[in-house]
Amino acid sequence: MGTPQLEARVVFDPFGSGVLPALIAILWTVQTLLIPAAYGKPAPIDPSRFPRHVRDVIIVSTAGPIATLALGIAAGLV
């Protein structure tokens, strides 16, 4: 914990990143109108390493949803 990991195995969840997207993709092919999606395990953080605990935890907590929103907007513009 504490070291950034670029390996997919660290955040890969077999159900959320494997089974669920496959199931949704199958349902999507039969016109159920569901968009395939996946999720991964949350990355662990160590708040004791932050100089300002409360502010930095809030920044880290909002970074994921903001990145998701930005990627969604970018994908919508393409």
Side-chain angles (χ1 to χ4, degrees):
M1 187 158 118
T3 305
Q5 297 291 328
L6 297 177
E7 296 181 43
R9 286 181 279 151
V10 176
V11 293
F12 183 79
D13 180 31
F15 178 77
S17 299
V19 175
L20 183 64
L23 178 63
I24 293 175
I26 290 169
L27 292 174
W28 195 34
T29 60
V30 294
Q31 304 301 318
T32 321
L33 299 177
L34 290 175
I35 299 171
Y39 64 89
K41 294 188 294 186
I45 61 166
D46 186 5
S48 66
R49 292 179 170 254
F50 297 144
R52 295 179 61 189
H53 299 293
V54 175
R55 180 201 67 168
D56 294 339
V57 168
I58 291 171
I59 290 171
V60 169
S61 299
T62 57
I66 290 172
T68 302
L69 182 63
L71 287 172
I73 291 170
L77 295 175
V78 173

